[in-house]
Amino acid sequence: MTTTQEVLVVVNREFAEFLKSRRQRLRVPNDLAAHRRRRVNGLRREEVAQRANISVEWYTKLEQGRVVSPSDATLSALVEALELDDLEARHLHSLVKPHVRSPFTRETVPKALSELIARLTEPAYVTGKMWDLLDWNTAADELFLFSSLPDEQRNILLIILIDPAAKALFGETWNLEARRVVSLFRRDYSAWAGDPSFERLLNKCKAGCQQFEGWWLSHDIGAPVSGAKSLHVPNVGRCTYAYSSFQSNDDPALKLALYTKIR
């Protein structure tokens, strides 16, 4: 069983690694680059601390994962100092929220929602907090071959990253799609960092996808948006699908994904 202290260690590490990744991403001002020999990517800790008007000792503690209790004012200063966009700023704040929670439990799809997607003629499926594939209709099964997968692999993150059929389906766009999916999951993971079920999922991704660890360590944060996907459909050829996702009113943890063929 994972203890609260063990969860906090993981959460602190997430906060620390995110700070470090964003510090290393910053461009060094010309005046600093010209007068100092740079041995690190981006800015130094003391330079970020100066930007945020906090002590170097305090910032160092934050980036080493030793404490995660900054005030809202400190977080706002870090957002500005690290030049975070709105999505990254929200992610930073989410990492210091209280993480008192029960262990993850797999969700159940309400009968009404299950019956709804079964009647749809276009591909549709439902996922939960950990992106487990909970329900899908015939059209989604024909497109993604969900039924052919073993139960333990019916997870959208695992499917995109590891399943050979999914890689063939996305073809030359797989690399971009896989990295996009990892950035989306990174945002959802922050609320469950340290939970045994989520950590086991990450280990499966690392073991099954060579690129995953590098993408994960980049700490890219994505936002779910509607769009279009070009897919190599077996026995049909290249098709373009518009896609979007929606939260369920019955349980906000449930997400309904819809695909519509447009050409």
Side-chain angles (χ1 to χ4, degrees), residues 138-171:
T138 300
D141 202 19
E142 291 174 349
L143 182 61
F144 297 108
L145 308 178
F146 292 146
S147 295
S148 67
L149 299 171
D151 289 344
E152 63 273 13
Q153 200 174 320
R154 288 175 182 167
N155 175 282
I156 294 300
L157 188 62
L158 289 178
I159 291 170
I160 296 296
L161 294 178
I162 298 173
D163 183 37
K167 290 185 177 182
L169 187 66
F170 284 97

Side-chain angles (χ1 to χ4, degrees), residues 56-189:
V56 176
E57 180 183 9
W58 177 236
Y59 180 79
T60 299
K61 286 182 178 180
L62 292 174
E63 201 176 285
Q64 289 178 341
R66 291 159 59 187
V67 59
V68 179
S69 56
S71 65
D72 286 341
T74 296
L75 288 175
S76 296
L78 288 172
V79 167
E80 185 172 351
L82 295 168
E83 301 177 10
L84 304 185
D85 61 28
D86 290 343
L87 188 61
E88 292 170 329
R90 290 194 295 271
H91 181 69
L92 184 71
H93 280 268
S94 75
L95 290 173
V96 298
K97 289 181 179 178
H99 285 72
V100 178
R101 61 177 185 239
S102 300
F104 168 78
T105 56
R106 187 182 172 95
E107 304 86 354
T108 301
V109 179
K111 182 179 178 181
L113 179 56
S114 184
E115 291 176 345
L116 172 65
I117 68 169
R119 292 192 183 100
L120 296 175
T121 58
E122 297 282 9
Y125 59 83
V126 179
T127 56
K129 293 185 288 286
M130 200 170 70
W131 291 28
D132 288 326
L133 185 63
L134 303 175
D135 201 0
W136 60 90
N137 64 6
T138 300
D141 202 19
E142 291 174 349
L143 182 61
F144 297 108
L145 308 178
F146 292 146
S147 295
S148 67
L149 299 171
D151 289 344
E152 63 273 13
Q153 200 174 320
R154 288 175 182 167
N155 175 282
I156 294 300
L157 188 62
L158 289 178
I159 291 170
I160 296 296
L161 294 178
I162 298 173
D163 183 37
K167 290 185 177 182
L169 187 66
F170 284 97
E172 65 274 11
T173 66
W174 175 82
N175 197 77
L176 289 174
E177 176 66 10
R179 184 158 193 165
R180 184 188 73 87
V181 165
V182 171
S183 73
L184 291 173
F185 185 77
R186 169 60 92 168
R187 189 190 64 155
D188 292 346
Y189 167 82

Side-chain angles (χ1 to χ4, degrees), residues 28-42:
V28 180
N30 290 333
D31 57 336
L32 293 179
H35 294 91
R36 298 184 187 181
R37 186 177 180 182
R38 313 297 298 189
R39 295 183 179 179
V40 296
N41 293 326

